[in-house]
């Protein structure tokens, strides 16, 4: 029987220097689920994403992607796993010296032995899927912000990954372009049967596409539940985030003095 969960995070703890960024994070993401990860600045959401991508090694804890623990996996296992992972970065991260088509073809050229005709066909197919058919000869500088996001998405999905990760997909887009991108994410999940993880602070987008939302605060998960459960949560910090309310926290005098003097406390 196949594993119900595509991603499993168990007791994940990580530090940047002496500072604890993630504090015992437990998270399970089901196969073909769209999971939104939200939180305020400094909550740990971007750090969690980098750990899921295998870009950082945690202090302690376990991270399983498609059944493989990436904290203990061999180089060969990680290479095979990454062929099943697609990433769409916040700014698109297209190579400016390559055309749109060359950007999309690049993963196939680097990681497969397909002939150029097949590579070209697969790249054009993905560009059509993200509504960029006929734009493959343009340079990234000739694209609008929304088109760059879609081109990056075509590149991220060109190898039909089982896992797709987004970092702030709607950032910098106007409301219409952001809504179109949301529709595209839903379309890709249905057509390619992917598990999708999205880090975002855009509430409208999160509520539209999420199966579940995970809310982080100070490196801990406050809540991981359905859209309706998150909207109706009675956790003050969750409601602060949803209603854009500023938080004024009491300062511990001893901790404040230690920070000023450079003393390290646990």
């Amino acid at each position: 029987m196949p594993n119900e969960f595509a991603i499993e995070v168990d007791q994940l703890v990580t530090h940047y220097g002496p500072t604890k960024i993630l504090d015992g994070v437990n998270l399970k993401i089901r196969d073909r689920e769209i999971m939104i990860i939200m939180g305020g600045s400094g909550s740990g959401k971007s750090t969690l994403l980098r750990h899921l991508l295998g870009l950082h090694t945690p202090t302690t804890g376990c991270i399983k992607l498609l059944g493989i623990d990436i904290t203990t996996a061999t180089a060969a296992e990680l290479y095979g796993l990454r062929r099943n992972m697609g990433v769409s970065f916040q700014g698109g991260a297209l190579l400016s010296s390559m055309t749109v088509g060359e950007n999309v073809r690049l993963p196939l050229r680097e990681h497969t032995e397909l002939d150029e005709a097949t590579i070209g066909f697969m790249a054009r197919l993905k560009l059509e899927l993200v509504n960029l058919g006929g734009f493959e000869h343009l340079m990234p500088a000739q694209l609008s912000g929304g088109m760059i996001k879609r081109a990056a998405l075509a590149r991220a999905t060109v190898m039909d990954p089982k896992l797709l990760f987004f970092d702030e997909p709607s950032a910098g887009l106007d409301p219409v372009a952001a809504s179109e991108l949301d529709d595209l994410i839903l379309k890709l999940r249905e057509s390619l049967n992917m598990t999708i993880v999205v880090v975002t602070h855009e509430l409208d987008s999160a509520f539209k596409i999420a199966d579940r939302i995970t809310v982080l605060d100070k490196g801990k998960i406050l809540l991981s539940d359905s859209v309706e459960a998150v909207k109706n949560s009675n956790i003050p910090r969750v409601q602060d985030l949803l209603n854009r309310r500023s938080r004024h926290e009491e300062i511990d005098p001893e901790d404040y003095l230690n920070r000023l003097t450079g003393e390290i406390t646990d």
Side-chain angles (χ1 to χ4, degrees):
M1 180 178 176
N3 194 341
E4 177 187 358
F5 300 104
I7 298 174
E8 299 173 83
V9 179
D10 183 39
Q11 287 297 313
L12 182 64
V13 176
T14 193
H15 292 77
Y16 289 161
T19 304
K20 185 181 288 186
I21 305 299
L22 296 176
D23 187 5
V25 170
N26 294 293
L27 182 65
K28 291 186 177 183
I29 302 175
R30 298 182 184 92
D31 186 45
R32 298 186 69 247
E33 182 174 32
I34 297 180
M35 172 64 81
I36 300 293
I37 298 175
M38 302 185 68
S41 178
S43 62
K45 60 185 186 297
S46 295
T47 299
L48 176 57
L49 177 63
R50 287 193 288 269
H51 278 297
L52 293 177
L53 296 175
L55 300 178
H56 286 329
T57 301
T59 305
T60 59
C62 170
I63 304 169
K64 287 185 179 180
L65 305 181
L66 305 177
I68 296 173
D69 184 351
I70 64 174
T71 63
T72 59
T74 66
E77 287 174 327
L78 287 174
Y79 179 78
L81 179 61
R82 284 174 173 147
R83 290 167 61 94
N84 279 305
M85 297 168 58
V87 187
S88 184
F89 296 100
Q90 182 172 339
L94 298 180
L95 298 176
S96 60
S97 60
M98 293 183 173
T99 65
V100 170
E102 288 170 338
N103 268 278
V104 177
R105 290 192 291 269
L106 184 61
L108 295 171
R109 285 175 171 162
E110 292 291 321
H111 301 294
T112 75
E113 297 181 357
L114 297 172
D115 60 82
E116 279 298 313
T118 303
I119 288 174
F121 174 80
M122 293 177 68
R124 287 190 294 274
L125 185 65
K126 288 302 189 295
L127 286 168
E128 290 287 347
L129 189 61
V130 300
N131 302 318
L132 283 179
F135 291 90
E136 64 177 302
H137 301 297
L138 294 184
M139 302 299 290
Q142 297 173 301
L143 303 181
S144 68
M147 293 170 75
I148 288 174
K149 299 271 189 179
R150 285 185 278 141
L153 185 51
R155 183 180 61 185
T157 60
V158 74
M159 292 184 64
D160 295 330
K162 295 179 180 178
L163 304 175
L164 182 60
F165 299 90
F166 284 95
D167 183 15
E168 299 285 3
S170 301
L173 300 182
D174 65 75
V176 173
S179 180
E180 290 174 346
L181 188 60
D182 292 338
D183 291 339
L184 187 54
I185 291 172
L186 292 169
K187 177 182 176 182
L188 285 170
R189 193 265 295 271
E190 294 308 314
S191 59
L192 300 179
N193 295 319
M194 293 183 297
T195 302
I196 300 176
V197 179
V198 182
V199 171
T200 185
H201 66 279
E202 299 288 346
L203 294 177
D204 289 342
S205 176
F207 293 157
K208 181 176 179 179
I209 68 175
D211 292 313
R212 285 191 297 148
I213 296 176
T214 293
V215 182
L216 280 171
D217 185 69
K218 295 183 178 180
K220 294 178 178 288
I221 291 180
L222 294 180
L223 181 66
S224 187
D225 213 325
S226 67
V227 171
E228 286 306 310
V230 170
K231 285 182 177 180
N232 297 321
S233 170
N234 58 7
I235 300 174
R237 290 184 184 274
V238 173
Q239 289 303 319
D240 288 343
L241 181 67
L242 299 186
N243 294 287
R244 302 180 184 277
R245 290 197 297 252
S246 61
R247 296 181 305 201
H248 303 283
E249 299 180 359
E250 294 292 329
I251 297 175
D252 181 271
E254 183 177 353
D255 182 54
Y256 180 63
L257 180 61
N258 287 335
R259 293 204 304 270
L260 291 178
T261 59
E263 293 185 22
I264 298 173
T265 57
D266 187 12

